[in-house]
Amino acid sequence: MSSDHAALVYAADAPAALCTIIGIDGSFSRRCGAQLAIGRDGTLVGDLADNCLQNELAGQAKISARDGIIKLLRYGKGSPFIDFRLPCGSGLDILIDPAPQMQHLSKCVADLDARRATALSLAVPAADDRHFLRMRRYIPRLRLLVVGTGAECEALQRQAKATGVEVEWHVAGQHFSLNTVPTGISADPWTAVLLLFHDHEWEHRLLAWALHTSAFYIGCQGGAQARARRLESLRANGWDDTALVRINSPVGLVPRARTPEVLALSILSEVVGAYEALHPHP
């Protein structure tokens, strides 16, 4: 489960208050739209970065549930709670919905499970005309589609799983043969396609397939000569620069990575950065 979706998933499954940051005055270590679910038994799911704040919200959620009202509270700079301060010195506006509509939450979860972008309308008081977030948008979790062989693929799969990133690996020569595409693979706008080969003949058919998908990232391993030959071959087959600019090669953040572990970390860092740029609430 993506940590960005954890509170939503919990609140869709059990009665819980849902707290959402709908405004940030200054800077904060979580984005606008970050959420915390607070169960009836006090369970906290999600992360708003500050344990004191989360415990404070748990207390406020109990009051909100008792009174049956939605609360919009300000913490930090400009807050009426003068005995509660945020270390960052910023101000946060947080909406506490003690009983969000579970059918709406469940629909969002179902959309995400089906890898569709979705949105949840937030019950911000209509009389408040300040510029607050009123629609919390979600995108499906990051997915890596790795096609290739060798230690680089193994290291990338291991590191991705360790960080909770979904990864699907198809091994050349086992799951598919030269000049073919693995059966049943797909890439949506939240999938990164990574072709990791030392023998670049395997790439030709796969790159053409990848360029026809909506994958947000396409990466290929290879040195300068391999990259030049790759682009020459693709141009000869009718691909123009608008398409070719989608191919990230050399792949990853670290120039001239010399070990599988460093290359995997380099790739994962670059892909995660590109995925974060897709988030609807920067």
Side-chain angles (χ1 to χ4, degrees), residues 201-229:
E201 287 188 359
W202 285 89
E203 294 174 356
H204 302 323
R205 179 71 182 87
L206 290 163
L207 262 178
W209 170 84
L211 288 168
H212 278 298
T213 73
S214 57
F216 78 92
Y217 184 100
I218 301 171
C220 296
Q221 187 177 11
Q225 291 186 357
R227 297 196 299 271
R229 287 194 296 268

Side-chain angles (χ1 to χ4, degrees), residues 33-209:
Q35 293 180 309
L36 177 73
I38 303 170
R40 295 291 186 261
D41 61 355
T43 298
L44 303 181
V45 178
D47 181 16
L48 298 189
D50 186 303
N51 287 334
C52 292
L53 173 63
Q54 294 186 164
N55 291 332
E56 159 70 12
L57 290 172
Q60 292 288 350
K62 286 184 179 180
I63 298 171
S64 185
R66 182 197 66 198
D67 297 341
I69 58 171
I70 294 171
K71 286 189 173 186
L72 175 54
L73 301 177
R74 173 83 170 197
Y75 288 100
K77 183 171 64 175
S79 171
F81 303 114
I82 58 174
D83 57 342
F84 189 94
R85 287 289 178 263
L86 298 175
C88 62
S90 298
L92 297 180
D93 296 293
I94 300 178
L95 184 74
I96 303 176
D97 188 340
Q101 297 295 310
M102 292 180 71
Q103 66 269 30
H104 296 163
L105 306 183
S106 296
K107 178 186 180 302
C108 288
V109 172
D111 285 340
L112 292 170
D113 286 344
R115 296 193 63 79
R116 294 189 297 265
T118 191
L120 177 69
S121 180
L122 301 175
V124 180
D128 201 314
D129 60 357
R130 285 174 287 182
H131 186 64
F132 287 143
L133 182 70
R134 296 176 182 273
M135 184 74 70
R136 204 321 186 161
R137 303 184 185 278
Y138 306 87
I139 58 173
R141 64 184 297 196
L142 169 61
R143 171 176 171 263
L144 305 186
L145 176 61
V146 181
V147 187
T149 57
E152 292 86 357
C153 295
E154 293 173 359
L156 182 57
Q157 182 184 53
R158 184 169 58 251
Q159 291 183 22
K161 287 185 174 180
T163 57
V165 174
E166 179 183 346
V167 58
E168 177 182 331
W169 178 21
H170 294 268
V171 183
Q174 293 183 24
H175 301 158
F176 64 102
S177 56
L178 188 64
N179 293 322
T180 66
V181 175
T183 303
I185 65 171
S186 63
D188 58 31
W190 305 280
T191 296
V193 176
L194 298 157
L195 307 181
L196 303 182
F197 295 97
H198 294 285
D199 182 354
H200 299 288
E201 287 188 359
W202 285 89
E203 294 174 356
H204 302 323
R205 179 71 182 87
L206 290 163
L207 262 178
W209 170 84

